[in-house]
Amino acid sequence: MAAITPIIVVTPSGYEMPLNRIGSSVTVITASDIEASGYTTVSEILNTVPGINAVTNGFGGTVGLFSRGHDSDMTKIMLDGIDLNDPSALGTTPVLATLMLNNIEQIEIVLGPQSLIAGADAMGGVINIITKKGIFNNKAGAYLGSDGTSNLSSSLAFAYNDFNIDLNLNEFETDGINVRSAGNDDLDGFDQSSISLNLSRNFEKLIFDLSYKNEAGRVEFDESVSQSKEIYADNDYTFFRAGLSFDLNPKSNIRVEYNNSDFDRKSYGRWADASYYSEVEEFKLNSKYLVNSNNTAFFGLETKSEKYTGTYGPSNNDGVSEISYFAQNEFKIGQLTTLLAGIRLDDNDEFGTHETYRFTANHVSQNLSGLIFKLSIGTGFRAPSLSEMYDGTYGNTNLDPETSFGYDFGFVNYISSNVSMGSTYFMSEIEDSISWALSGYYNASGKSERDGIETFVNIYPNDKSEIKLSHTHLMTDEKVLVRRPNNTLTASINYYLSNKIDIYGSMNAVEKHYDTGSAVIDSYEIINLGMRYDLNNNSLLNFRINNLTDEN
């Protein structure tokens, strides 16, 4: 159903703001959207977002996430603000392949250069996955599916000595399928266990919060047509955050935060085994100050350190660190226009100092009710990862950082309570793009450009049904930027037969495009169909068919 209360987002500006006053290109996936979708993993539901193309080779397998045609390592992914980007990994963080949707409150996707608040790695955008907190709704769930698929989940929320505590457990397992059409009949299974804990307490003017999440599992895969032994990878990821927020006075507050991301991966291949261990530590200090009713200042200091050891890790220098400063100001011009501008300084001990900036504008039309115009301009910066610099086989210590300039402009029109639509044109220019060849990593000469148009339409014919459509047209050379189709279309529909029965379906249509090695991927459409039945206030049944037409 159409949203009645305004959606509040935190990722674009670093603090809470209404979505309809944001100038950046933002898509929000709410808890109700997640429930209505029937999807299981974060990567699945991200494919419904205009501008996003998430390519996966099965449950737990590698995910390549391309936002607006950017390379898969140019989008920063966070969990409650914790950095999930693994310094030892190539491309998209492997964590994305294992994240489930069972405890997600909201996913905020901000496209375009977002280094101002999110920092380095956010040249193509930032995805912030926000978990549920303080929702006192204890529940347990289970489902079974084909190919030996099962999922068990439980959530427990309670208060103890003025602390709000949320505990979530999830166990997923599948025998998988054989992704090869010839050579062997080996199934590529996947199992994953996760535990998450959120704890908070309000001490009047001071709020303490703590988050902990651990994911551990195994994914099996094919390495070659002729496979002589079982090939798999084990993963163990731990994420921790502790923070204090306190009000200095009615106009200003301060937040201090410590984040730690721990990545432990082991792969067992056909020819050799390998281990990868990396760690990211962050300290954040920021303050918001209400100058007056039309002017809000936001500034901060951050430190970040990364380490990487393992089979292919650095032999003598396993870490890199940086310190960053940023300042941002939000201006309101009357009741209709909101401007936001800021600058960031990153001082990296390997690559020196780099400045980035961002400016956004949001204007609500006075003459046409429900029409909002948006504009965003910004720059981005990404230092080479530790893996790109020090990998024993392909590393290159002479790499330069990548930089980007981008802008987008468009509109959102809330035509009525039953219909909303919007369209955005975007352009991004990357300089010193880090590429890979058999000889190793190198900086591509010159600049590469990505531009396109994103469009969405949401229709709510009545209080029992909803239809959502989105289309992305990417205007790039698809033979050069592989795995990035020029046209993708997604559609979803929900129909509530009663207050107990909901029928839902989705389609993801992808145009013919190119893979690596000039291989051609023919156009395809993936159709999913499902039904939910609420047994009572505490129990429901969910039946779903994935890939209804058995598309290959």
Side-chain angles (χ1 to χ4, degrees):
M1 302 297 101
I4 298 175
T5 57
I7 295 176
I8 303 298
V9 293
V10 66
T11 309
S13 62
Y15 53 87
E16 291 186 348
M17 284 185 67
L19 177 62
N20 59 9
R21 299 311 298 263
I22 299 293
S24 298
S25 178
V26 184
T27 299
V28 177
I29 302 172
T30 65
S32 59
D33 293 331
I34 292 172
E35 182 179 355
S37 73
Y39 289 122
T40 305
T41 65
V42 172
S43 60
E44 285 179 297
I45 203 165
L46 286 177
N47 253 335
T48 67
V49 176
I52 295 286
N53 184 37
V55 181
T56 178
N57 60 359
F59 280 117
T62 303
V63 174
L65 187 139
F66 305 96
S67 63
R68 289 182 170 175
H70 288 88
D71 294 349
S72 58
D73 51 10
M74 293 181 180
T75 300
K76 189 165 190 173
I77 301 175
M78 303 188 296
L79 178 72
D80 291 326
I82 305 171
D83 192 348
L84 299 188
N85 287 30
D86 183 352
S88 70
L90 308 177
T92 304
T93 174
V95 181
L96 183 60
T98 64
L99 283 175
M100 301 294 172
L101 287 168
N102 62 298
N103 185 41
I104 305 302
E105 176 63 24
Q106 187 161 290
I107 303 176
E108 299 176 5
I109 302 100
V110 192
L111 297 182
Q114 301 298 324
S115 291
L116 174 63
I117 298 300
D121 303 331
M123 299 203 306
V126 60
I127 298 171
N128 191 16
I129 303 161
I130 301 171
T131 58
K132 293 180 178 180
K133 306 174 187 69
I135 301 175
F136 296 101
N137 182 20
N138 301 328
K139 63 180 183 179
Y143 76 71
L144 300 174
S146 59
D147 303 315
T149 303
S150 64
N151 190 75
L152 302 173
S153 63
S154 63
S155 301
L156 178 64
F158 59 95
Y160 179 77
N161 286 346
D162 295 326
F163 283 92
N164 292 329
I165 302 171
D166 297 85
L167 178 65
N168 293 272
L169 305 172
N170 195 80
E171 177 74 29
F172 181 89
E173 183 175 353
T174 182
D175 292 337
I177 61 173
N178 181 20
V179 299
R180 292 191 178 276
S181 58
N184 64 71
D185 57 359
D186 175 64
L187 300 179
D188 303 318
F190 170 61
D191 67 83
Q192 186 83 2
S193 300
S194 67
I195 178 172
S196 63
L197 172 70
N198 289 314
L199 182 148
S200 65
R201 181 175 177 180
N202 190 336
F203 297 90
E204 295 184 2
K205 291 187 177 182
L206 185 148
I207 299 175
F208 167 76
D209 62 89
L210 180 148
S211 296
Y212 169 86
K213 185 177 182 66
N214 175 261
E215 291 199 345
R218 171 173 293 185
V219 58
E220 299 172 355
F221 53 90
D222 291 319
E223 185 174 284
S224 67
V225 174
S226 176
Q227 187 165 309
S228 58
K229 73 171 188 176
E230 185 179 16
I231 298 172
Y232 59 93
D234 290 336
N235 64 75
D236 192 336
Y237 309 130
T238 302
F239 308 105
F240 175 81
R241 182 188 72 177
L244 288 173
S245 303
F246 49 94
D247 296 328
L248 295 177
N249 53 57
K251 288 190 173 184
S252 62
N253 60 55
I254 291 178
R255 177 166 176 82
V256 181
E257 183 176 300
Y258 170 77
N259 296 339
N260 182 278
S261 303
D262 186 281
F263 308 88
D264 189 354
R265 297 183 292 125
K266 295 180 175 63
S267 64
Y268 302 89
R270 184 185 182 198
W271 304 113
D273 300 337
S275 63
Y276 309 83
Y277 174 75
S278 60
E279 182 182 19
V280 179
E281 283 189 298
E282 293 181 298
F283 172 79
K284 299 180 180 182
L285 171 66
N286 61 61
S287 178
K288 186 178 82 167
Y289 178 67
L290 183 65
V291 180
N292 54 52
S293 60
N294 294 318
N295 191 348
T296 301
F298 185 61
F299 44 89
L301 177 151
E302 299 176 358
T303 66
K304 180 178 180 180
S305 64
E306 298 180 350
K307 294 181 179 180
Y308 167 35
T309 59
T311 305
Y312 303 108
S315 58
N316 51 15
N317 183 3
D318 67 348
V320 65
S321 62
E322 68 181 26
I323 184 169
S324 307
Y325 314 86
F326 68 85
Q328 175 185 274
N329 214 320
E330 175 195 344
F331 306 89
K332 294 178 182 177
I333 304 176
Q335 300 296 315
L336 303 177
T337 303
T338 302
L339 307 178
L340 190 146
I343 188 169
R344 182 185 183 96
L345 187 70
D346 291 300
D347 187 5
N348 186 289
D349 63 4
E350 288 279 347
F351 300 101
T353 302
H354 291 263
E355 302 85 18
T356 53
Y357 66 86
R358 186 163 63 105
F359 170 81
T360 70
N362 175 295
H363 178 72
V364 180
S365 174
Q366 188 172 16
N367 299 320
L368 297 173
S369 177
L371 180 61
I372 301 174
F373 297 100
K374 296 190 174 192
L375 167 71
S376 176
I377 303 172
T379 57
F381 156 75
R382 187 183 83 86
S385 70
L386 290 172
S387 180
E388 290 166 337
M389 288 190 294
Y390 298 113
D391 181 87
T393 305
Y394 302 109
N396 182 356
T397 56
N398 295 316
L399 289 172
D400 292 322
E402 300 172 313
T403 58
S404 70
F405 166 77
Y407 62 85
D408 57 58
F409 58 87
F411 70 92
V412 176
N413 193 356
Y414 299 94
I415 298 172
S416 69
S417 60
N418 300 101
V419 180
S420 62
M421 64 174 297
S423 188
T424 301
Y425 171 80
F426 60 86
M427 192 286 298
S428 178
E429 193 175 69
I430 308 297
E431 187 170 5
D432 293 324
S433 175
I434 297 174
S435 302
W436 179 88
L438 290 176
S439 58
Y441 291 100
Y442 67 96
N443 288 106
S445 61
K447 299 179 180 179
S448 60
E449 185 175 306
R450 299 139 174 86
D451 63 333
I453 299 173
E454 302 157 350
T455 305
F456 77 89
V457 179
N458 296 334
I459 304 172
Y460 306 89
N462 49 55
D463 59 358
K464 292 184 177 182
S465 58
E466 62 182 33
I467 302 169
K468 295 184 177 182
L469 304 169
S470 69
H471 176 260
T472 301
H473 176 55
L474 188 62
M475 293 178 278
T476 62
D477 185 344
E478 58 182 5
K479 290 185 178 181
V480 176
L481 299 175
V482 298
R483 296 186 176 181
R484 279 157 271 199
N486 285 156
N487 289 284
T488 57
L489 173 69
T490 64
S492 66
I493 184 170
N494 281 71
Y495 184 73
Y496 297 84
L497 289 174
S498 68
N499 60 353
K500 288 182 173 293
I501 302 175
D502 170 27
I503 296 175
Y504 61 89
S506 64
M507 182 193 71
N508 184 26
V510 178
E511 188 181 43
K512 175 182 175 181
H513 57 288
Y514 289 87
D515 201 347
T516 55
S518 298
V520 176
I521 300 176
D522 291 330
S523 60
Y524 61 87
E525 301 83 31
I526 302 295
I527 300 174
N528 304 317
L529 188 64
M531 182 181 72
R532 271 184 300 271
Y533 177 65
D534 289 319
L535 297 174
N536 50 51
N537 290 335
N538 300 313
S539 306
L540 64 84
L541 293 175
N542 195 343
F543 175 75
R544 182 184 177 200
I545 302 174
N546 292 330
N547 196 6
L548 182 66
T549 58
D550 196 25
E551 186 82 1
N552 187 357

